[in-house]
Amino acid sequence: MNSAIIFDMDGTLYQTNLILEPALEATFEQLRKNGLWTGTTPIEKYRQIMGVPLPVVWETLCPEHSIEIRQESNSLFQLALIEQISSCNGALYNEVENTLAKLSKHYPLFIASNGQTEYLQAIADTYQLTKWIKGIYSIDLIASGNKSELVATVLKENNINHGFVVGDRSSDIQAALDNDLISIGVRFDFSQESELEKAHYTVNHFDEIDKIIEHELNTTAFD
């Protein structure tokens, strides 16, 4: 079998929590200056929905605004995030680099994320992820915004018929289930225990992942 490991980005590889607050604050400060928002920045609300497609983010944070204003808000937010990334205000989780380096010797690695292309590329460039990651797939590629369809695209384009999805939200676990892959849930910043209930495995530290994959290698007949 052709096997691979597909990773989520936010809250799985990258500590988005480190750049979320300043980027979101900058965005809503601009909205306040434009007379489009009053009150505090809804950071907690965003933390609760982190990982959902971006249109859903802005429907949730700005339910009274027009589609045009939501799109403008998202553009401001993406620019603020990329600025934070490029300034190295974020970070990869502990042991991500070592684990990716180890796994990449045996498996092709991919990223499938609800983040936009430019955002994902900024992280990949800043932390030189392409040393280990074979392909980066953004939800921009899927009109429906469905994570399961995005993972299916990764499988089809790379002739993969077995492997793993590693992520922190229910959409990652569901994407694995829908595509007959093994799911590994990570209990990091944005994860919620109820969303990881259906995961085949869960980990508290990133370097536990390679042990799980080794276990599967020893118990399952795949390349």
Side-chain angles (χ1 to χ4, degrees):
M1 293 184 182
N2 295 321
S3 304
I5 308 168
I6 302 170
F7 294 92
D8 177 44
M9 179 69 89
D10 293 313
T12 299
L13 298 179
Y14 186 69
Q15 297 185 59
T16 315
N17 62 306
L18 299 177
I19 66 170
L20 174 64
E21 185 167 340
L24 204 62
E25 188 61 52
T27 302
F28 277 85
E29 180 59 26
Q30 188 61 50
L31 292 178
R32 282 188 284 266
K33 287 180 179 178
N34 294 342
L36 297 172
W37 187 262
T38 57
T40 59
T41 300
I43 291 172
E44 270 312 308
K45 183 177 289 188
Y46 187 62
R47 288 183 182 278
Q48 294 169 11
I49 62 171
M50 185 70 193
V52 303
L54 287 166
V56 178
V57 167
W58 294 102
E59 287 171 13
T60 304
L61 298 185
C62 300
E64 305 300 322
H65 291 105
S66 67
I67 293 175
E68 291 75 19
I69 292 175
R70 291 175 191 166
Q71 291 173 339
E72 179 183 348
S73 300
N74 182 61
S75 296
L76 291 170
F77 185 46
Q78 295 304 308
L79 290 172
L81 285 170
I82 290 170
E83 182 178 347
Q84 290 289 320
I85 294 164
S86 300
S87 299
C88 295
N89 292 331
L92 300 176
Y93 282 100
N94 290 337
E95 295 301 320
V96 164
E97 292 178 304
N98 289 338
T99 303
L100 293 183
K102 185 185 300 184
L103 292 173
S104 66
K105 295 177 181 178
H106 305 286
Y107 299 95
L109 309 182
F110 299 90
I111 290 170
S113 170
N114 283 335
Q116 292 187 329
T117 300
E118 295 82 1
Y119 166 77
L120 298 175
Q121 196 60 52
I123 297 174
D125 291 344
T126 300
Y127 298 96
Q128 301 180 346
L129 294 181
T130 52
K131 289 187 293 186
W132 311 296
I133 301 295
K134 185 174 181 180
I136 300 173
Y137 287 74
S138 165
I139 202 66
D140 292 349
L141 299 170
I142 305 299
S144 67
N146 185 289
K147 188 70 167 283
S148 294
E149 290 185 33
L150 183 63
V151 169
T153 299
V154 178
L155 301 182
K156 182 178 180 180
E157 290 190 356
N158 297 279
N159 193 31
I160 299 163
N161 50 31
H162 189 280
F164 304 81
V165 174
V166 182
D168 67 322
R169 304 309 298 261
S170 59
S171 59
D172 302 305
I173 308 308
Q174 192 62 49
L177 293 173
D178 289 343
N179 289 283
D180 296 320
L181 303 175
I182 297 168
S183 55
I184 302 176
V186 297
R187 294 191 183 99
F188 297 164
D189 295 295
F190 302 111
S191 66
Q192 299 177 25
E193 203 63 30
S194 61
E195 296 191 46
L196 302 182
E197 288 178 351
K198 294 182 180 180
H200 292 95
Y201 298 93
T202 56
V203 300
N204 295 310
H205 305 284
F206 201 85
D207 58 0
E208 297 173 42
I209 293 169
D210 64 312
K211 298 179 180 66
I212 291 171
I213 293 171
E214 182 180 358
H215 169 75
E216 286 290 330
L217 176 65
N218 292 332
T219 57
T220 307
F222 66 95
D223 294 334

